[in-house]
Protein backbone atom coordinates (compact mmCIF):
# COMPACT_ATOMS: atom_id res chain seq x y z
CA UNK A 1 0.00 0.00 0.00
CA UNK A 2 1.11 3.53 -0.75
CA UNK A 3 0.06 5.96 1.93
CA UNK A 4 -0.02 9.74 1.92
CA UNK A 5 0.21 10.99 5.48
CA UNK A 6 -0.77 14.64 5.84
CA UNK A 7 1.10 15.46 2.66
CA UNK A 8 1.34 19.05 1.49
CA UNK A 9 3.11 20.71 -1.40
CA UNK A 10 3.68 24.42 -1.55
CA UNK A 11 5.66 25.62 -4.53
CA UNK A 12 8.29 28.28 -4.14
CA UNK A 13 5.95 30.97 -5.44
CA UNK A 14 3.63 30.21 -2.55
CA UNK A 15 1.10 28.15 -4.49
CA UNK A 16 -0.33 25.50 -2.20
CA UNK A 17 -0.98 22.74 -4.73
CA UNK A 18 -1.73 20.00 -2.22
CA UNK A 19 -2.84 20.52 1.37
CA UNK A 20 -2.79 17.96 4.16
CA UNK A 21 -3.57 15.00 1.93
CA UNK A 22 -4.08 11.73 3.74
CA UNK A 23 -4.91 8.87 1.42
CA UNK A 24 -4.30 5.14 1.27
CA UNK A 25 -3.65 3.56 -2.11
CA UNK A 26 -4.26 -0.18 -1.81
CA UNK A 27 -1.98 -2.62 -3.60
CA UNK A 28 -3.25 -4.32 -6.71
CA UNK A 29 -6.15 -1.89 -7.13
CA UNK A 30 -6.92 1.16 -9.20
CA UNK A 31 -7.17 4.42 -7.30
CA UNK A 32 -8.43 7.27 -9.44
CA UNK A 33 -7.79 10.86 -8.42
CA UNK A 34 -10.25 13.29 -9.94
CA UNK A 35 -11.00 16.97 -9.56
CA UNK A 36 -11.24 20.26 -11.40
CA UNK A 37 -8.30 21.80 -13.21
CA UNK A 38 -5.54 23.00 -10.91
CA UNK A 39 -6.69 21.03 -7.85
CA UNK A 40 -3.32 19.32 -7.46
CA UNK A 41 -3.82 15.98 -9.20
CA UNK A 42 -0.58 15.95 -11.18
CA UNK A 43 1.39 17.30 -8.24
CA UNK A 44 0.03 14.44 -6.12
CA UNK A 45 1.00 11.86 -8.72
CA UNK A 46 4.48 13.27 -9.24
CA UNK A 47 5.19 13.08 -5.53
CA UNK A 48 4.88 9.30 -5.75
CA UNK A 49 7.83 8.86 -8.10
CA UNK A 50 9.61 11.74 -6.38
CA UNK A 51 9.60 14.03 -9.36
CA UNK A 52 8.19 16.44 -6.80
CA UNK A 53 9.02 16.25 -3.11
CA UNK A 54 6.33 16.99 -0.53
CA UNK A 55 6.81 20.12 1.55
CA UNK A 56 5.06 18.58 4.53
CA UNK A 57 4.01 15.14 5.69
CA UNK A 58 5.31 11.98 4.14
CA UNK A 59 4.49 9.24 1.68
CA UNK A 60 5.20 5.62 2.48
CA UNK A 61 5.15 2.51 0.36
CA UNK A 62 4.52 -0.63 2.36
CA UNK A 63 5.34 1.39 5.45
CA UNK A 64 8.71 2.53 4.10
CA UNK A 65 9.04 6.30 3.58
CA UNK A 66 9.66 7.13 -0.07
CA UNK A 67 12.34 9.54 0.98
CA UNK A 68 14.34 6.71 2.49
CA UNK A 69 14.48 5.04 -0.91
CA UNK A 70 16.56 6.01 -3.88
CA UNK A 71 14.80 7.36 -6.91
CA UNK A 72 16.44 4.68 -9.03
CA UNK A 73 14.98 1.92 -6.93
CA UNK A 74 11.60 3.58 -6.77
CA UNK A 75 11.21 4.38 -10.42
CA UNK A 76 12.30 0.95 -11.54
CA UNK A 77 9.22 -0.30 -9.80
CA UNK A 78 6.93 2.35 -11.23
CA UNK A 79 5.62 2.67 -14.76
CA UNK A 80 4.61 6.14 -15.85
CA UNK A 81 2.01 6.99 -18.48
CA UNK A 82 0.95 10.45 -19.58
CA UNK A 83 -1.52 11.97 -21.99
CA UNK A 84 -0.81 11.04 -25.63
CA UNK A 85 1.42 8.23 -24.42
CA UNK A 86 4.47 10.48 -24.03
CA UNK A 87 6.19 8.58 -26.80
CA UNK A 88 9.52 9.48 -28.34
CA UNK A 89 8.56 10.57 -31.87
CA UNK A 90 11.88 9.58 -33.42
CA UNK A 91 11.76 6.03 -32.07
CA UNK A 92 9.78 3.15 -33.48
CA UNK A 93 6.97 1.59 -31.49
CA UNK A 94 9.07 -1.37 -30.46
CA UNK A 95 11.96 0.85 -29.43
CA UNK A 96 9.63 3.08 -27.45
CA UNK A 97 8.30 0.09 -25.54
CA UNK A 98 11.83 -1.13 -24.92
CA UNK A 99 13.04 2.17 -23.47
CA UNK A 100 13.18 1.16 -19.82
CA UNK A 101 14.51 -2.38 -20.38
CA UNK A 102 17.19 -0.75 -22.54
CA UNK A 103 18.08 1.62 -19.73
CA UNK A 104 18.20 -1.28 -17.33
CA UNK A 105 20.71 -3.04 -19.52
CA UNK A 106 18.58 -5.88 -20.82
CA UNK A 107 19.99 -7.61 -23.88
CA UNK A 108 18.64 -6.49 -27.23
CA UNK A 109 16.94 -9.80 -27.92
CA UNK A 110 15.28 -9.94 -24.50
CA UNK A 111 14.08 -6.36 -24.85
CA UNK A 112 12.74 -7.07 -28.34
CA UNK A 113 10.92 -10.18 -27.14
CA UNK A 114 9.36 -8.37 -24.20
CA UNK A 115 8.33 -5.43 -26.38
CA UNK A 116 6.57 -7.67 -28.88
CA UNK A 117 4.78 -9.55 -26.09
CA UNK A 118 3.55 -6.25 -24.72
CA UNK A 119 2.35 -5.20 -28.16
CA UNK A 120 0.16 -8.29 -28.09
CA UNK A 121 -0.94 -7.59 -24.53
CA UNK A 122 -2.19 -4.11 -25.37
CA UNK A 123 -3.99 -5.36 -28.46
CA UNK A 124 -1.75 -3.96 -31.17
CA UNK A 125 -0.70 -5.77 -34.30
CA UNK A 126 2.98 -6.72 -34.46
CA UNK A 127 3.03 -5.15 -37.91
CA UNK A 128 2.97 -1.82 -36.11
CA UNK A 129 6.20 -2.57 -34.27
CA UNK A 130 8.38 -0.69 -36.71
CA UNK A 131 6.13 2.31 -37.16
CA UNK A 132 6.83 5.70 -35.64
CA UNK A 133 4.30 7.25 -33.22
CA UNK A 134 3.12 9.75 -35.83
CA UNK A 135 2.03 6.80 -37.96
CA UNK A 136 -0.36 5.59 -35.25
CA UNK A 137 -3.81 6.79 -34.25
CA UNK A 138 -4.22 8.55 -30.90
CA UNK A 139 -5.72 5.43 -29.35
CA UNK A 140 -2.87 3.27 -30.62
CA UNK A 141 -0.34 5.73 -29.21
CA UNK A 142 -2.03 5.48 -25.82
CA UNK A 143 -1.78 1.70 -25.97
CA UNK A 144 1.92 1.94 -26.77
CA UNK A 145 2.28 4.34 -23.83
CA UNK A 146 0.73 1.74 -21.53
CA UNK A 147 2.94 -1.02 -22.98
CA UNK A 148 5.99 1.19 -22.52
CA UNK A 149 5.16 1.76 -18.86
CA UNK A 150 4.65 -1.96 -18.32
CA UNK A 151 7.88 -3.00 -20.01
CA UNK A 152 9.93 -3.66 -16.91
CA UNK A 153 6.95 -5.20 -15.12
CA UNK A 154 6.61 -2.46 -12.49
CA UNK A 155 4.63 -2.98 -9.31
CA UNK A 156 3.03 0.44 -9.57
CA UNK A 157 1.58 2.34 -12.52
CA UNK A 158 1.27 6.12 -12.37
CA UNK A 159 -1.09 7.36 -15.06
CA UNK A 160 -1.70 11.04 -15.72
CA UNK A 161 -4.79 11.57 -17.88
CA UNK A 162 -3.77 8.58 -19.99
CA UNK A 163 -6.92 8.44 -22.12
CA UNK A 164 -7.90 12.06 -22.41
CA UNK A 165 -6.38 12.87 -25.79
CA UNK A 166 -8.74 10.70 -27.83
CA UNK A 167 -12.37 10.90 -28.90
CA UNK A 168 -15.08 9.51 -26.59
CA UNK A 169 -15.56 6.28 -28.53
CA UNK A 170 -11.86 5.38 -28.58
CA UNK A 171 -11.64 6.49 -25.00
CA UNK A 172 -14.36 4.06 -23.99
CA UNK A 173 -12.55 1.26 -25.83
CA UNK A 174 -9.26 2.13 -24.13
CA UNK A 175 -10.93 2.15 -20.74
CA UNK A 176 -12.44 -1.28 -21.37
CA UNK A 177 -9.14 -2.64 -22.60
CA UNK A 178 -7.37 -1.18 -19.60
CA UNK A 179 -9.80 -2.73 -17.11
CA UNK A 180 -9.42 -6.09 -18.81
CA UNK A 181 -5.63 -5.76 -18.71
CA UNK A 182 -5.72 -4.85 -15.04
CA UNK A 183 -7.81 -7.94 -14.29
CA UNK A 184 -4.86 -9.93 -15.57
CA UNK A 185 -1.94 -7.97 -14.14
CA UNK A 186 -3.33 -6.53 -10.86
CA UNK A 187 -0.93 -3.60 -10.59
CA UNK A 188 -1.18 -0.91 -7.98
CA UNK A 189 -2.44 1.95 -10.09
CA UNK A 190 -2.92 5.65 -9.45
CA UNK A 191 -4.77 7.22 -12.35
CA UNK A 192 -5.39 10.94 -12.66
CA UNK A 193 -8.37 12.24 -14.58
CA UNK A 194 -10.57 15.32 -14.66
CA UNK A 195 -13.50 13.20 -15.85
CA UNK A 196 -15.69 11.87 -13.04
CA UNK A 197 -17.26 9.29 -15.37
CA UNK A 198 -13.81 7.88 -16.10
CA UNK A 199 -12.84 7.99 -12.42
CA UNK A 200 -15.95 6.05 -11.46
CA UNK A 201 -15.66 3.56 -14.29
CA UNK A 202 -12.00 2.73 -13.70
CA UNK A 203 -11.49 3.25 -10.00
CA UNK A 204 -11.80 0.62 -7.32
CA UNK A 205 -11.34 3.65 -5.12
CA UNK A 206 -11.94 7.26 -6.13
CA UNK A 207 -10.40 10.30 -4.46
CA UNK A 208 -12.00 13.65 -5.28
CA UNK A 209 -9.85 16.74 -4.83
CA UNK A 210 -11.17 20.27 -4.69
CA UNK A 211 -9.30 23.35 -5.90
CA UNK A 212 -6.73 24.34 -3.36
CA UNK A 213 -5.45 20.78 -3.09
CA UNK A 214 -7.84 19.53 -0.43
CA UNK A 215 -9.20 16.00 -0.41
CA UNK A 216 -12.97 16.33 -0.62
CA UNK A 217 -13.85 12.64 -0.34
CA UNK A 218 -12.46 9.20 -0.95
CA UNK A 219 -14.46 6.04 -1.31
CA UNK A 220 -15.69 3.39 -3.65
CA UNK A 221 -17.49 4.68 -6.73
CA UNK A 222 -20.78 3.58 -5.26
CA UNK A 223 -20.14 5.34 -1.98
CA UNK A 224 -19.43 8.58 -3.78
CA UNK A 225 -22.62 8.28 -5.79
CA UNK A 226 -24.74 7.19 -2.82
CA UNK A 227 -23.26 9.34 -0.08
CA UNK A 228 -21.51 12.44 -1.39
CA UNK A 229 -19.82 14.08 1.58
CA UNK A 230 -20.81 17.64 0.74
CA UNK A 231 -22.41 19.82 -1.95
CA UNK A 232 -19.11 20.09 -3.87
CA UNK A 233 -18.86 16.32 -4.28
CA UNK A 234 -22.57 16.07 -4.97
CA UNK A 235 -22.25 18.63 -7.74
CA UNK A 236 -19.10 17.01 -9.06
CA UNK A 237 -20.51 13.51 -9.32
CA UNK A 238 -23.53 14.87 -11.18
CA UNK A 239 -27.27 15.19 -10.83
CA UNK A 240 -27.98 11.73 -12.25
CA UNK A 241 -25.90 10.00 -9.62
CA UNK A 242 -28.83 7.88 -8.48
CA UNK A 243 -29.23 6.46 -11.96
CA UNK A 244 -25.48 6.00 -12.42
CA UNK A 245 -25.15 4.15 -9.13
CA UNK A 246 -27.25 1.40 -10.70
CA UNK A 247 -24.10 0.54 -12.63
CA UNK A 248 -22.76 -0.92 -9.38
CA UNK A 249 -25.67 -3.28 -8.82
CA UNK A 250 -25.57 -6.66 -10.58
CA UNK A 251 -28.48 -7.60 -12.82
CA UNK A 252 -27.90 -11.24 -11.91
CA UNK A 253 -30.14 -10.69 -8.87
CA UNK A 254 -33.18 -10.02 -11.06
CA UNK A 255 -35.88 -12.67 -11.44
CA UNK A 256 -36.41 -13.35 -15.13
CA UNK A 257 -39.87 -13.72 -16.65
CA UNK A 258 -40.84 -15.41 -19.90
CA UNK A 259 -42.60 -14.19 -23.04
CA UNK A 260 -43.80 -16.01 -26.16
CA UNK A 261 -40.81 -16.64 -28.40
CA UNK A 262 -40.87 -17.59 -32.11
CA UNK A 263 -38.34 -18.10 -34.85
CA UNK A 264 -40.84 -17.50 -37.60
CA UNK A 265 -42.40 -14.04 -37.57
CA UNK A 266 -45.57 -15.44 -39.11
CA UNK A 267 -46.07 -17.62 -36.03
CA UNK A 268 -46.27 -14.64 -33.65
CA UNK A 269 -49.29 -14.28 -31.40
CA UNK A 270 -51.83 -11.58 -32.17
CA UNK A 271 -52.62 -11.22 -28.45
CA UNK A 272 -49.46 -9.74 -26.99
CA UNK A 273 -45.86 -8.93 -27.84
CA UNK A 274 -43.85 -11.86 -29.20
CA UNK A 275 -40.08 -12.04 -29.19
CA UNK A 276 -38.46 -13.16 -32.43
CA UNK A 277 -35.16 -15.05 -32.20
CA UNK A 278 -32.76 -16.30 -34.85
CA UNK A 279 -31.64 -19.88 -35.49
CA UNK A 280 -29.22 -19.67 -32.54
CA UNK A 281 -31.92 -18.39 -30.17
CA UNK A 282 -30.51 -14.86 -30.20
CA UNK A 283 -33.19 -12.17 -29.96
CA UNK A 284 -33.67 -10.07 -33.09
CA UNK A 285 -36.87 -8.06 -32.52
CA UNK A 286 -40.49 -7.95 -31.40
CA UNK A 287 -43.76 -8.55 -33.18
CA UNK A 288 -46.30 -6.16 -31.69
CA UNK A 289 -50.02 -6.95 -31.32
CA UNK A 290 -51.90 -5.55 -34.29
CA UNK A 291 -48.79 -5.59 -36.49
CA UNK A 292 -48.59 -9.21 -37.68
CA UNK A 293 -45.72 -10.17 -39.95
CA UNK A 294 -43.66 -7.10 -39.00
CA UNK A 295 -40.63 -7.10 -36.73
CA UNK A 296 -39.95 -4.06 -34.57
CA UNK A 297 -36.43 -3.25 -33.34
CA UNK A 298 -35.38 -4.95 -30.13
CA UNK A 299 -33.79 -2.08 -28.21
CA UNK A 300 -30.76 -2.79 -26.05
CA UNK A 301 -30.31 -6.09 -24.18
CA UNK A 302 -28.55 -6.89 -20.92
CA UNK A 303 -26.20 -9.66 -19.92
CA UNK A 304 -27.92 -11.73 -17.23
CA UNK A 305 -24.65 -12.63 -15.52
CA UNK A 306 -22.28 -9.69 -15.73
CA UNK A 307 -24.78 -6.93 -16.58
CA UNK A 308 -25.90 -4.27 -14.13
CA UNK A 309 -29.22 -2.79 -13.11
CA UNK A 310 -28.27 0.23 -15.21
CA UNK A 311 -27.94 -2.01 -18.29
CA UNK A 312 -31.29 -3.60 -17.48
CA UNK A 313 -32.98 -0.25 -16.98
CA UNK A 314 -31.54 1.02 -20.24
CA UNK A 315 -32.84 -2.11 -21.96
CA UNK A 316 -36.32 -1.55 -20.58
CA UNK A 317 -36.30 2.12 -21.59
CA UNK A 318 -35.27 1.30 -25.17
CA UNK A 319 -37.65 -1.62 -25.52
CA UNK A 320 -40.74 -1.02 -27.71
CA UNK A 321 -42.77 -3.20 -25.34
CA UNK A 322 -41.37 -2.07 -21.96
CA UNK A 323 -39.57 -5.36 -21.35
CA UNK A 324 -35.81 -5.67 -21.04
CA UNK A 325 -34.45 -8.71 -22.84
CA UNK A 326 -31.74 -10.58 -20.95
CA UNK A 327 -29.17 -12.61 -22.87
CA UNK A 328 -26.68 -15.29 -21.93
CA UNK A 329 -23.07 -14.06 -21.98
CA UNK A 330 -20.94 -15.41 -24.77
CA UNK A 331 -23.70 -16.91 -26.90
CA UNK A 332 -26.11 -13.96 -26.77
CA UNK A 333 -29.01 -16.44 -26.49
CA UNK A 334 -32.31 -15.29 -25.06
CA UNK A 335 -32.50 -15.87 -21.30
CA UNK A 336 -35.67 -14.07 -20.18
CA UNK A 337 -37.20 -10.64 -19.75
CA UNK A 338 -37.68 -8.21 -16.90
CA UNK A 339 -40.13 -5.35 -16.49
CA UNK A 340 -39.57 -1.91 -15.01
CA UNK A 341 -41.27 -3.09 -11.82
CA UNK A 342 -38.87 -6.00 -11.46
CA UNK A 343 -35.89 -3.68 -11.89
CA UNK A 344 -37.21 -1.21 -9.33
CA UNK A 345 -37.80 -4.10 -6.93
CA UNK A 346 -34.14 -5.05 -7.57
CA UNK A 347 -33.09 -1.50 -6.70
CA UNK A 348 -35.00 -1.64 -3.41
CA UNK A 349 -33.48 -5.01 -2.56
CA UNK A 350 -30.00 -3.69 -3.28
CA UNK A 351 -30.62 -0.72 -1.01
CA UNK A 352 -31.88 -3.02 1.73
CA UNK A 353 -28.73 -5.13 1.43
CA UNK A 354 -26.64 -2.00 1.71
CA UNK A 355 -28.39 -0.85 4.88
CA UNK A 356 -28.02 -4.35 6.29
CA UNK A 357 -24.32 -4.47 5.53
CA UNK A 358 -23.80 -1.18 7.36
CA UNK A 359 -25.90 -2.33 10.29
CA UNK A 360 -24.10 -5.62 10.74
CA UNK A 361 -20.68 -4.02 10.52
CA UNK A 362 -20.70 -1.49 13.34
CA UNK A 363 -16.91 -1.28 13.25
CA UNK A 364 -17.23 0.50 9.92
CA UNK A 365 -18.81 3.21 11.98
CA UNK A 366 -21.41 5.85 11.38
CA UNK A 367 -18.69 8.47 11.40
CA UNK A 368 -16.97 7.04 8.39
CA UNK A 369 -20.27 6.58 6.61
CA UNK A 370 -21.33 10.12 7.43
CA UNK A 371 -18.09 11.52 6.20
CA UNK A 372 -18.50 9.38 3.14
CA UNK A 373 -14.89 8.38 3.31
CA UNK A 374 -14.62 4.99 4.98
CA UNK A 375 -14.75 2.09 2.60
CA UNK A 376 -17.30 0.72 4.97
CA UNK A 377 -19.84 -0.81 2.66
CA UNK A 378 -17.53 -3.08 0.83
CA UNK A 379 -19.93 -5.96 0.61
CA UNK A 380 -21.87 -4.03 -1.96
CA UNK A 381 -18.89 -3.49 -4.15
CA UNK A 382 -19.51 -3.19 -7.84
CA UNK A 383 -19.19 -6.17 -10.12
CA UNK A 384 -15.53 -6.57 -10.82
CA UNK A 385 -14.57 -4.45 -7.85
CA UNK A 386 -13.25 -5.94 -4.65
CA UNK A 387 -12.81 -3.38 -1.97
CA UNK A 388 -12.40 -5.63 1.01
CA UNK A 389 -9.79 -4.93 3.55
CA UNK A 390 -9.37 -1.27 2.71
CA UNK A 391 -9.63 1.63 5.00
CA UNK A 392 -9.47 5.31 4.36
CA UNK A 393 -8.62 8.36 6.41
CA UNK A 394 -11.18 10.96 7.47
CA UNK A 395 -12.35 13.45 4.86
CA UNK A 396 -11.59 16.47 6.96
CA UNK A 397 -8.56 17.36 4.97
CA UNK A 398 -8.13 20.84 6.22
CA UNK A 399 -7.84 20.16 9.93
CA UNK A 400 -4.90 21.56 11.77
CA UNK A 401 -3.12 23.60 9.20
CA UNK A 402 -2.93 26.93 7.56
CA UNK A 403 -4.07 27.84 4.08
CA UNK A 404 -0.71 27.13 2.52
CA UNK A 405 -0.42 23.72 4.02
CA UNK A 406 2.64 24.76 5.93
CA UNK A 407 1.66 23.28 9.25
CA UNK A 408 4.62 21.70 10.90
CA UNK A 409 4.62 17.94 10.94
CA UNK A 410 7.04 15.45 12.29
CA UNK A 411 8.79 13.45 9.59
CA UNK A 412 10.07 9.94 9.87
CA UNK A 413 13.27 11.02 11.50
CA UNK A 414 11.45 12.91 14.19
CA UNK A 415 12.55 16.21 12.73
CA UNK A 416 10.07 18.93 11.97
CA UNK A 417 9.47 19.50 8.33
CA UNK A 418 7.65 22.48 6.97
CA UNK A 419 7.24 24.09 3.64
CA UNK A 420 9.35 27.06 4.52
CA UNK A 421 12.29 24.83 5.24
CA UNK A 422 12.34 24.10 1.53
CA UNK A 423 12.45 27.73 0.55
CA UNK A 424 13.58 29.13 -2.77
CA UNK A 425 17.06 27.72 -2.93
CA UNK A 426 16.94 24.95 -0.43
CA UNK A 427 18.13 21.55 -1.53
CA UNK A 428 15.21 19.18 -1.85
CA UNK A 429 12.88 21.54 -3.61
CA UNK A 430 15.32 24.17 -4.64
CA UNK A 431 17.36 21.93 -6.84
CA UNK A 432 16.79 22.57 -10.52
CA UNK A 433 16.72 19.01 -11.63
CA UNK A 434 13.70 19.03 -13.82
CA UNK A 435 12.28 16.60 -11.33
CA UNK A 436 10.60 19.26 -9.31
CA UNK A 437 8.86 22.52 -9.20
CA UNK A 438 11.07 24.45 -11.51
CA UNK A 439 8.48 23.73 -14.14
CA UNK A 440 8.47 20.50 -16.02
CA UNK A 441 9.39 21.80 -19.40
CA UNK A 442 11.86 24.50 -18.61
CA UNK A 443 14.44 22.20 -17.13
CA UNK A 444 14.02 19.48 -19.62
CA UNK A 445 14.15 21.74 -22.61
CA UNK A 446 17.34 23.13 -21.17
CA UNK A 447 18.93 19.77 -21.81
CA UNK A 448 17.94 19.62 -25.44
CA UNK A 449 14.93 17.38 -25.32
CA UNK A 450 13.71 16.74 -28.82
CA UNK A 451 10.40 15.30 -27.76
CA UNK A 452 8.32 17.74 -25.73
CA UNK A 453 5.48 15.24 -25.29
CA UNK A 454 7.88 12.81 -23.71
CA UNK A 455 9.20 15.26 -21.14
CA UNK A 456 7.65 13.59 -18.11
CA UNK A 457 8.72 10.04 -18.94
CA UNK A 458 12.20 11.37 -19.71
CA UNK A 459 12.38 12.81 -16.23
CA UNK A 460 10.94 9.66 -14.73
CA UNK A 461 13.27 7.35 -16.58
CA UNK A 462 16.37 9.50 -16.54
CA UNK A 463 16.83 8.67 -12.88
CA UNK A 464 16.99 5.00 -13.75
CA UNK A 465 20.38 5.56 -15.29
CA UNK A 466 21.36 8.72 -13.49
CA UNK A 467 21.51 6.99 -10.15
CA UNK A 468 22.90 3.87 -11.69
CA UNK A 469 26.42 5.23 -11.79
CA UNK A 470 26.13 6.96 -8.45
CA UNK A 471 27.87 4.19 -6.63
CA UNK A 472 26.49 1.61 -4.25
CA UNK A 473 22.89 1.76 -3.14
CA UNK A 474 22.55 4.55 -0.64
CA UNK A 475 19.01 5.33 0.40
CA UNK A 476 18.20 9.00 0.65
CA UNK A 477 17.78 9.48 4.36
CA UNK A 478 15.44 12.27 5.30
CA UNK A 479 18.21 14.01 7.14
CA UNK A 480 20.24 14.16 3.95
CA UNK A 481 17.70 15.48 1.52
CA UNK A 482 19.97 18.06 0.01
CA UNK A 483 22.62 15.47 -0.72
CA UNK A 484 20.05 13.06 -1.95
CA UNK A 485 19.12 15.35 -4.80
CA UNK A 486 22.65 15.78 -5.96
CA UNK A 487 23.20 12.64 -8.04
CA UNK A 488 20.27 13.53 -10.28
CA UNK A 489 21.37 17.12 -10.56
CA UNK A 490 24.92 16.27 -11.32
CA UNK A 491 24.01 13.89 -14.05
CA UNK A 492 21.31 15.86 -15.71
CA UNK A 493 23.37 16.41 -18.89
CA UNK A 494 23.62 12.64 -19.27
CA UNK A 495 19.87 12.56 -19.73
CA UNK A 496 20.44 13.36 -23.35
CA UNK A 497 21.61 9.74 -23.71
CA UNK A 498 18.12 8.64 -22.95
CA UNK A 499 16.72 10.47 -25.93
CA UNK A 500 19.07 9.29 -28.63
N1 LIG B 1 6.10 24.25 -10.69
C1 LIG B 1 5.07 24.92 -10.19
N2 LIG B 1 5.24 26.12 -9.60
C2 LIG B 1 4.20 26.80 -9.07
N3 LIG B 1 2.93 26.38 -9.10
C3 LIG B 1 2.70 25.19 -9.69
C4 LIG B 1 3.74 24.41 -10.25
N4 LIG B 1 3.20 23.27 -10.76
C5 LIG B 1 1.88 23.36 -10.52
N5 LIG B 1 1.56 24.50 -9.87
C6 LIG B 1 0.26 24.96 -9.43
O1 LIG B 1 -0.23 24.02 -8.49
C7 LIG B 1 -1.62 23.86 -8.63
C8 LIG B 1 -1.90 22.39 -8.90
O2 LIG B 1 -1.34 22.04 -10.16
P1 LIG B 1 -1.52 20.58 -10.76
O3 LIG B 1 -0.85 20.55 -12.07
O4 LIG B 1 -1.11 19.59 -9.75
O5 LIG B 1 -3.09 20.53 -10.92
P2 LIG B 1 -4.00 19.51 -11.75
O6 LIG B 1 -5.15 19.20 -10.88
O7 LIG B 1 -3.18 18.38 -12.23
O8 LIG B 1 -4.45 20.43 -12.95
P3 LIG B 1 -4.91 20.04 -14.44
O9 LIG B 1 -6.11 19.16 -14.32
O10 LIG B 1 -5.25 21.36 -15.05
O11 LIG B 1 -3.75 19.36 -15.08
C9 LIG B 1 -2.04 24.77 -9.76
O12 LIG B 1 -2.50 25.96 -9.20
C10 LIG B 1 -0.77 24.99 -10.53
O13 LIG B 1 -0.79 26.23 -11.16
Amino acid sequence: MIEFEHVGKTFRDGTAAVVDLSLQVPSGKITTIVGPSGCGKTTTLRMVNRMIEPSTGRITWDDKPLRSQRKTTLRRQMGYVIQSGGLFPHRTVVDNIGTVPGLLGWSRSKTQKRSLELLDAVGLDRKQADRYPAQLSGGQQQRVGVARALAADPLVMLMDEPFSAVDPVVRGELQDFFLELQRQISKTIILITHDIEEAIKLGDQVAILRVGGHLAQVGTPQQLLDEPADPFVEGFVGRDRGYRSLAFQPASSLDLDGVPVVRDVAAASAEGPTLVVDGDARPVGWVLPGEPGRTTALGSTFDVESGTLRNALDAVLTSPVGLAVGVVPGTGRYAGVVSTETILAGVHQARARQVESVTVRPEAGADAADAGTGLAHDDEAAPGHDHRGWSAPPADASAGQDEHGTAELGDESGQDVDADAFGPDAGADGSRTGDDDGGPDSDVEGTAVRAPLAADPVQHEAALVADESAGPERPDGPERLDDAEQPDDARQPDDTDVRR
Side-chain angles (χ1 to χ4, degrees):
M1 177 174 73
I2 295 170
E3 183 164 13
F4 292 73
E5 297 176 22
H6 301 286
V7 169
K9 177 63 189 180
T10 302
F11 287 104
R12 69 189 65 192
D13 66 359
T15 304
V18 176
V19 176
D20 196 26
L21 175 67
S22 291
L23 176 69
Q24 294 177 343
V25 176
S27 300
K29 304 286 180 187
I30 302 175
T31 294
T32 51
I33 300 180
V34 63
S37 186
C39 68
K41 303 183 293 293
T42 297
T43 304
T44 300
L45 191 74
R46 287 162 60 109
M47 286 193 282
V48 177
N49 62 359
R50 296 192 56 201
M51 287 168 72
I52 292 178
E53 298 290 2
S55 311
T56 56
R58 69 172 192 170
I59 306 173
T60 59
W61 183 7
D62 290 341
D63 299 323
K64 220 174 148 195
L66 292 188
R67 272 187 164 172
S68 70
Q69 300 171 55
R70 290 180 54 168
K71 289 178 185 172
T72 319
T73 316
L74 268 184
R75 294 184 192 173
R76 281 184 181 176
Q77 300 169 82
M78 294 180 179
Y80 193 48
V81 188
I82 62 165
Q83 201 175 334
S84 303
L87 305 178
F88 300 110
H90 55 288
R91 286 188 185 177
T92 63
V93 165
V94 75
D95 286 345
N96 259 290
I97 298 174
T99 301
V100 172
L103 290 172
L104 298 180
W106 291 20
S107 71
R108 193 164 171 73
S109 62
K110 186 178 168 194
T111 301
Q112 177 88 0
K113 184 167 174 283
R114 173 75 176 154
S115 300
L116 291 175
E117 283 167 4
L118 280 164
L119 258 190
D120 300 338
V122 299
L124 288 175
D125 196 315
R126 288 193 179 200
K127 282 187 212 142
Q128 284 153 340
D130 295 323
R131 288 196 189 170
Y132 287 89
Q135 296 171 307
L136 300 178
S137 71
Q140 289 168 337
Q141 288 183 29
Q142 294 293 141
R143 286 175 192 255
V144 176
V146 172
R148 185 174 182 273
L150 285 170
D153 201 17
L155 294 168
V156 172
M157 290 276 277
L158 306 176
M159 310 184 77
D160 195 346
E161 305 254 10
F163 309 132
S164 62
V166 289
D167 67 64
V169 174
V170 174
R171 190 172 193 184
E173 288 169 6
L174 284 172
Q175 291 166 345
D176 292 341
F177 133 77
F178 174 66
L179 281 175
E180 184 51 41
L181 188 67
Q182 168 67 355
R183 271 192 270 279
Q184 296 161 29
I185 60 179
S186 298
K187 301 289 179 192
T188 303
I189 295 173
I190 305 179
L191 185 146
I192 301 296
T193 176
H194 61 267
D195 176 2
I196 185 68
E197 286 287 347
E198 181 166 88
I200 282 174
K201 177 173 176 182
L202 299 182
D204 294 296
Q205 170 179 252
V206 181
I208 301 185
L209 298 186
R210 68 174 95 241
V211 172
H214 293 268
L215 179 65
Q217 187 171 4
V218 58
T220 64
Q222 192 178 357
Q223 283 169 348
L224 295 179
L225 291 168
D226 289 352
E227 307 163 37
D230 60 26
F232 167 76
V233 176
E234 191 169 2
F236 199 72
V237 296
R239 290 189 184 283
D240 57 348
R241 63 188 172 86
Y243 171 63
R244 287 192 287 136
S245 74
L246 296 181
F248 299 97
Q249 303 295 350
S252 56
S253 60
L254 296 173
D255 291 330
L256 299 174
D257 290 325
V259 285
V261 177
V262 295
R263 284 207 170 85
D264 178 5
V265 177
S269 155
E271 303 299 314
T274 305
L275 184 69
V276 182
V277 296
D278 67 11
D280 293 319
R282 289 184 299 233
V284 292
W286 291 95
V287 178
L288 307 181
E291 297 185 17
R294 182 168 168 269
T295 307
T296 300
L298 187 66
S300 62
T301 58
F302 72 96
D303 180 323
V304 293
E305 284 179 23
S306 63
T308 65
L309 291 188
R310 179 171 168 168
N311 300 143
L313 189 58
D314 186 72
V316 104
L317 293 174
T318 57
S319 165
V321 298
L323 291 171
V325 178
V327 295
V328 177
T331 63
R333 292 164 66 97
Y334 165 72
V337 296
V338 290
S339 64
T340 315
E341 291 73 25
T342 305
I343 296 170
L344 288 179
V347 172
H348 289 307
Q349 279 166 11
R351 288 212 173 278
R353 281 198 301 272
Q354 249 174 291
V355 171
E356 199 180 316
S357 77
V358 174
T359 313
V360 299
R361 296 184 58 194
E363 76 279 8
D367 289 349
D370 286 349
T373 59
L375 302 180
H377 313 164
D378 298 341
D379 294 345
E380 293 304 319
H385 290 68
D386 175 7
H387 304 287
R388 275 166 295 208
W390 299 8
S391 60
D396 183 9
S398 58
Q401 69 168 72
D402 68 24
E403 61 182 350
H404 297 299
T406 54
E408 289 195 344
L409 295 161
D411 73 358
E412 57 274 16
S413 66
Q415 296 171 329
D416 285 338
V417 179
D418 85 12
D420 296 336
F422 299 90
D425 299 313
D429 279 0
S431 56
R432 310 293 296 177
T433 62
D435 267 0
D436 211 331
D437 55 354
D441 293 332
S442 56
D443 292 314
V444 177
E445 280 166 11
T447 53
V449 167
R450 277 169 253 144
L453 276 182
D456 265 15
V458 166
Q459 291 173 41
H460 175 82
E461 288 152 12
L464 300 183
V465 280
D467 277 5
E468 189 68 345
S469 51
E473 186 82 0
R474 179 178 59 79
D476 301 342
E479 71 286 1
R480 302 203 51 183
L481 287 174
D482 294 0
D483 288 350
E485 297 298 320
Q486 287 312 308
D488 287 343
D489 277 356
R491 283 163 182 79
Q492 188 69 13
D494 289 350
D495 294 349
T496 48
D497 292 345
V498 177
R499 298 164 206 125
R500 278 187 201 118

